Amino acid sequence: MKIIKLLLLIVVLTSKFTILNAEVKPTFNKKFDLTGGVVDHPADVKFSPDGRKVFLLEFSSGNDTSDVELIQFTLTTPFDISSIDTSTKVSIIVDAGVDALAGPEGFAFSNDGKKVFIIDFGDKMQVNTLETAYDLTNATRVADDGINWGNYLSPTTNTSGTIDHREIEFNNDGTRMYFIDAHPDHAVVSYILSTPYDPSTASLGPELALGDISSTYLQDIEFDDDGTRMYINESATSLRTNRTYVYKLSTTFDVSTATYVGSSIDIFTADGDGQSEASQGRPLGMTFSSDGMKLYRVTYSHSGNASDNIYEYDLSCPYGIVLCEIDATSSVGAQVDFAKNVIHHNTSTVFKRFEWIRRNKNNSNLDNHNVKLNIKNPILASLTNKLQASLGSHSSNKSKNWSYWSHGDISFGRAGDTDVFKPKEIRSSGLLFGADRRVDENKFFGAAIRVGKENVDIISSGGTSLDLESLTLNIYGTNGTGFDALVGVSLLRVDQLLSKELTGERNGKQFFTSIRFKTRNSYGNLNVTPLAKIDYGVTEYSEYTDFGTSTNQNLDIYESHTFSTGGVEAGYIFDSIIEVDEGTLKPLGSLTYVGDWTPTTSYKYKNYSDFTTVTNEIERHSTNNIKGNIGIEAIFKNGTTFSVNYERLQKLNDSAHNDNIYFKFGHISEEDSEFAFNFNPMQNKQTNINYKKNINGFDVIVSSNYSLIEARPDYGANIEVSNTF
């Protein structure tokens, strides 16, 4: 318990930071000229999710006196408008036939790409079904629904008697539909659809009067990918004076919960095209790339100017107009997963040590190698010698009760991929050093320290990532009746990054326990043994501050977050022995069901925009899993030991998985050699791992340094050769 207390003294429980950036606004990248009959008077623009197709809606025939069309082009490079191949044009006529549109203004696809909805500035909506997702080649017009969308269900924000439509949008599952009432009311009108993407099932939903906007006309509405931000584009007579208004939604896709954040003006002046302000044309539709890192606008030739163009802009962060924010739900969700992973890696490795001891119980020496542990700093110096002495002699040529071991692990996998969480790519590694003592043939106890490193990339969030580190002390033992147990305490460190820039940091602490029961009898030639295991842990993260808008430097302050994790595991382990000339080979493995009992947990933060406390939930997910393990262990007569295990944890209710490789290597000889682990948080905040070997009277030391605490780790390696004459 002394070690646990000492470790807890090391951690700094709270940490705050402030990131000050320049104004967040788009940066011009390129434009594509649509004049010459390519697209006449473009009103709106969309891309297929993979960025391989671009769709442009004509407002009128313009210089081309033929039909008004929704046009599709292929791009050779995803989301790169300079790669538009105009020879791949496919189109559907929208100003003729059923629900012919007089002046189409906006369009939207269903989430499966099999329907496209087009709206004009009056009362008409046109619906087309597509044989192939996001392909207009074989489009079929849906029969007229008979609804006058100009005044349907009489929105309360409509004081002029009719809605002047400029755009149509849906939420992610098609249960909500949105219109822009462009003039004179300036409002967002939403409808609730009892059948997704079926406007005929609409009932009036929340509305938002846009009192913060004084523009004459509004043109477009867009949401970010999770519906927590809304963007309103005005249609000023010049692109250079156009504003984009930004709102935050405390409830996803609920416009009644919108809070005005601010607007960006004059964001298109650095267009690099050499055109005068008067020739820039009138801005209409806008859209984002699927990862939110690019913005696109279309302009049409207002007042006779030849300005039918599509513009492409780079964003400094996902959906970065006015403000940049971390995807809070996915980020905090990743931190919860990290806490579970720390417990999993420690318990899994320590219980593999249990099996190692049982398989080799007849060996007089259970070392994997000679290990020395040093925990050094001025405060702990007086206790270091006592700790080292308690571990006993590490000299391999002496009889001893203590055994020393180490284990490494590498993990990589994918998690998330749900409606709540964005998918995440996870990579982790760790080194675990332990010492244990046998009491009798079937009873032993010990302690082990693990240093772990984990990196999480949140996909489709424009460079959001987490660097996570852990230091864990495990106390473990068995009573010889089939019950194995351990308790652990961890210190956690989380660095949150956006486009590789530090945007948040917090510390944490964790306590966990695991109990496993394994029958004393095995069955069959493979020694199949049933087992069951229960895990439970409590984790506390400190308060931290995350940046909000950089223009006014307001901050979101997250409260400390305490939550529990737990699970149950049941299945079988197996192993076998193959005798070879130089030693023994032992194939081994396991197959178990893993139930994740981690409950839904909530976290709170104070919203910078209105200083209200917002509560969001990290929903329970990946409840049911299957874990399989297979490996081999080799013990050679020359004292060398080697083991490698491959483990896969597969989620049954989504596509998430985790692949782990556990390995150990050791050599016991009469020569003086040692592994050393040094943790010096008070002095240099470094974790040092070194290997010392005496060769022909020379001490050869290979060491590596790694900072566990610093935000910017100091990586280094040294080789020392010395001798005493």
Side-chain angles (χ1 to χ4, degrees):
M1 294 303 294
K2 290 183 178 180
I3 298 176
I4 295 176
K5 292 180 180 179
L6 291 170
L7 288 173
L8 289 175
L9 290 175
I10 297 169
V11 69
V12 180
L13 296 179
T14 59
S15 176
K16 295 183 179 182
F17 75 101
T18 300
I19 301 293
L20 305 179
N21 292 328
E23 182 182 357
V24 178
K25 65 181 186 179
T27 301
F28 173 78
N29 187 337
K30 63 191 68 169
K31 76 171 184 176
F32 189 89
D33 191 353
L34 301 173
T35 58
V38 178
V39 178
D40 284 300
H41 292 177
D44 202 4
V45 57
K46 295 286 189 297
F47 288 83
S48 60
D50 62 1
R52 292 286 185 179
K53 293 179 182 176
V54 62
F55 304 88
L56 296 139
L57 178 65
E58 293 181 327
F59 173 69
S60 66
S61 60
N63 297 322
D64 182 359
T65 58
S66 60
D67 301 304
V68 179
E69 299 171 307
L70 176 63
I71 299 171
Q72 164 190 312
F73 296 119
T74 298
L75 294 81
T76 56
T77 302
F79 295 108
D80 182 357
I81 62 172
S82 65
S83 71
I84 293 176
D85 184 355
T86 57
S87 68
T88 62
K89 177 180 177 178
V90 178
S91 65
I92 57 176
I93 298 171
V94 301
D95 63 343
V98 176
D99 281 333
L101 304 179
E105 293 275 5
F107 69 102
F109 287 93
S110 59
N111 58 357
D112 63 359
K114 291 294 190 71
K115 283 187 177 181
V116 59
F117 304 81
I118 311 170
I119 196 101
D120 67 7
F121 61 81
D123 59 6
K124 293 289 184 65
M125 179 191 301
Q126 186 181 110
V127 183
N128 292 268
T129 60
L130 310 180
E131 184 176 298
T132 303
Y134 301 100
D135 188 347
L136 305 181
T137 303
N138 293 304
T140 301
R141 188 77 52 83
V142 177
D144 193 346
D145 57 21
I147 298 176
N148 183 334
W149 291 102
N151 55 20
Y152 187 60
L153 300 178
S154 303
T156 59
T157 55
N158 181 15
T159 61
S160 62
T162 184
I163 298 177
D164 189 0
H165 300 105
R166 288 295 188 274
E167 177 62 307
I168 179 174
E169 279 294 331
F170 295 90
N171 67 344
N172 290 342
D173 63 6
T175 57
R176 294 201 180 194
M177 180 175 67
Y178 307 86
F179 293 145
I180 281 285
D181 190 353
H183 178 79
D185 296 306
H186 293 167
V188 178
V189 180
S190 72
Y191 296 90
I192 299 173
L193 309 183
S194 58
T195 301
Y197 297 106
D198 185 352
S200 67
T201 66
S203 59
L204 189 63
E207 305 169 65
L208 177 65
L210 301 173
D212 303 297
I213 297 178
S214 59
S215 173
T216 303
Y217 286 98
L218 304 180
Q219 187 62 39
D220 207 337
I221 175 174
E222 294 289 332
F223 296 91
D224 66 354
D225 55 353
D226 62 4
T228 59
R229 276 180 278 175
M230 180 176 68
Y231 304 84
I232 305 295
N233 183 41
E234 73 176 351
S235 181
T237 56
S238 171
L239 182 139
R240 296 182 185 272
T241 60
N242 178 243
R243 283 183 184 266
T244 299
Y245 300 85
V246 182
Y247 295 79
K248 287 194 66 174
L249 281 64
S250 59
T251 301
T252 59
F253 293 104
D254 185 348
V255 298
S256 66
T257 67
T259 300
Y260 177 63
V261 174
S263 65
S264 185
I265 189 173
D266 200 28
I267 63 177
F268 304 104
T269 55
D271 55 23
D273 62 8
Q275 293 185 1
S276 66
E277 178 177 343
S279 64
Q280 288 296 300
R282 187 164 186 166
L284 295 182
M286 62 179 289
T287 194
F288 296 94
S289 59
S290 57
D291 64 358
M293 293 300 291
K294 288 183 178 294
L295 170 70
Y296 303 86
R297 292 287 188 101
V298 289
T299 62
Y300 86 105
S301 52
H302 178 68
S303 300
N305 295 317
S307 299
D308 291 339
N309 295 309
I310 177 173
Y311 292 79
E312 178 182 316
Y313 302 87
D314 294 325
L315 303 179
S316 58
C317 60
Y319 306 94
I321 303 176
V322 177
L323 77 162
C324 284
E325 290 183 312
I326 295 291
D327 175 9
T329 301
S330 292
S331 177
V332 177
Q335 296 171 38
V336 173
D337 287 339
F338 171 59
K340 294 194 291 185
N341 289 344
V342 170
I343 296 174
H344 170 74
H345 287 306
N346 279 277
T347 58
S348 183
T349 305
V350 170
F351 283 128
K352 284 178 171 59
R353 173 62 176 175
F354 281 62
E355 299 308 314
W356 169 272
I357 292 177
R358 291 195 176 101
R359 287 192 297 268
N360 300 276
K361 63 183 179 179
N362 296 324
N363 292 352
S364 60
N365 196 331
L366 296 176
D367 284 354
N368 292 134
H369 52 61
N370 304 333
V371 174
K372 180 175 71 177
L373 301 177
N374 297 315
I375 301 178
K376 298 178 180 179
N377 60 60
I379 296 176
L380 304 180
S382 63
L383 298 175
T384 301
N385 292 334
K386 294 180 181 180
L387 174 63
Q388 197 61 54
S390 69
L391 297 178
S393 172
H394 63 277
S395 176
S396 62
N397 60 1
K398 296 181 181 180
S399 174
K400 56 188 177 182
N401 294 320
W402 284 91
S403 300
Y404 309 93
W405 60 281
S406 68
H407 219 131
D409 59 82
I410 300 173
S411 176
F412 46 92
R414 183 182 179 96
D417 251 344
T418 69
D419 292 337
V420 179
F421 301 103
K422 294 183 175 66
K424 300 180 287 289
E425 295 290 348
I426 303 172
R427 299 168 298 279
S428 66
S429 59
L431 284 174
L432 195 147
F433 301 85
D436 44 51
R437 179 172 181 173
R438 176 178 285 175
V439 179
D440 59 30
E441 183 178 354
N442 296 312
K443 298 179 182 179
F444 61 89
F445 67 91
I449 292 177
R450 181 181 184 272
V451 181
K453 172 76 173 177
E454 189 164 300
N455 177 263
V456 178
D457 290 328
I458 302 175
I459 303 172
S460 302
S461 64
T464 302
S465 62
L466 299 171
D467 285 339
L468 311 109
E469 298 172 341
S470 62
L471 177 66
T472 305
L473 173 66
N474 300 275
I475 307 296
Y476 59 90
T478 181
N479 64 0
T481 63
F483 283 95
D484 308 324
L486 71 83
V487 295
V489 60
S490 302
L491 305 181
L492 310 175
R493 166 81 178 206
V494 178
D495 286 343
Q496 184 176 256
L497 301 100
L498 181 64
S499 300
K500 299 182 179 181
E501 295 292 330
L502 184 68
T503 61
E505 56 186 11
R506 71 193 313 182
N507 297 306
K509 55 186 178 180
Q510 178 184 73
F511 173 83
F512 61 90
T513 184
S514 182
I515 300 173
R516 185 180 74 170
F517 173 76
K518 186 174 83 63
T519 63
R520 301 182 67 179
N521 297 321
S522 302
Y523 305 93
N525 295 329
L526 290 177
N527 295 320
V528 177
T529 305
L531 62 84
K533 182 166 74 77
I534 297 177
D535 298 325
Y536 179 76
V538 177
T539 303
E540 180 185 26
Y541 285 119
S542 65
E543 173 187 290
Y544 80 105
T545 304
D546 190 10
F547 77 95
T549 112
S550 58
T551 53
N552 58 19
Q553 300 171 4
N554 286 325
L555 306 170
D556 283 341
I557 301 175
Y558 288 72
E559 298 182 5
S560 61
H561 185 201
T562 302
F563 56 91
S564 60
T565 59
V568 62
E569 183 174 348
Y572 301 89
I573 61 174
F574 59 87
D575 60 63
S576 183
I577 298 177
I578 303 173
E579 298 290 343
V580 296
D581 292 340
E582 299 299 324
T584 59
L585 297 176
K586 298 181 180 181
L588 48 93
S590 65
L591 182 64
T592 59
Y593 164 81
V594 181
D596 189 346
W597 291 350
T598 302
T600 295
T601 180
S602 61
Y603 67 96
K604 296 180 179 181
Y605 68 94
K606 197 165 285 186
N607 194 317
Y608 70 86
S609 59
D610 55 10
F611 301 102
T612 58
T613 298
V614 179
T615 301
N616 287 338
E617 288 188 339
I618 305 298
E619 296 182 0
R620 181 179 180 181
H621 67 292
S622 300
T623 305
N624 302 302
N625 315 268
I626 292 292
K627 184 173 72 174
N629 176 82
I630 190 167
I632 191 167
E633 178 180 285
I635 303 176
F636 299 100
K637 295 178 181 179
N638 64 1
T640 300
T641 63
F642 173 79
S643 177
V644 62
N645 283 265
Y646 168 75
E647 177 186 274
R648 183 176 181 95
L649 182 69
Q650 180 64 57
K651 316 295 185 180
L652 297 181
N653 42 339
D654 58 50
S655 62
H657 62 272
N658 202 27
D659 296 289
N660 304 285
I661 298 176
Y662 299 92
F663 56 89
K664 59 174 178 269
F665 176 83
H667 183 76
I668 302 170
S669 71
E670 297 297 320
E671 300 180 29
D672 183 28
S673 64
E674 60 188 33
F675 280 87
F677 169 75
N678 306 279
F679 180 51
N680 297 286
M682 298 297 183
Q683 283 186 326
N684 55 16
K685 301 180 180 180
Q686 288 182 335
T687 303
N688 174 272
I689 301 172
N690 63 67
Y691 175 76
K692 178 182 178 182
K693 180 85 172 174
N694 186 277
I695 303 177
N696 296 327
F698 289 85
D699 289 329
V700 180
I701 302 174
V702 181
S703 62
S704 175
N705 300 317
Y706 179 72
S707 173
L708 187 70
I709 303 296
E710 295 288 356
R712 301 182 181 274
D714 177 22
Y715 300 93
N718 303 286
I719 300 178
E720 301 177 28
V721 181
S722 63
N723 194 10
T724 301
F725 297 95

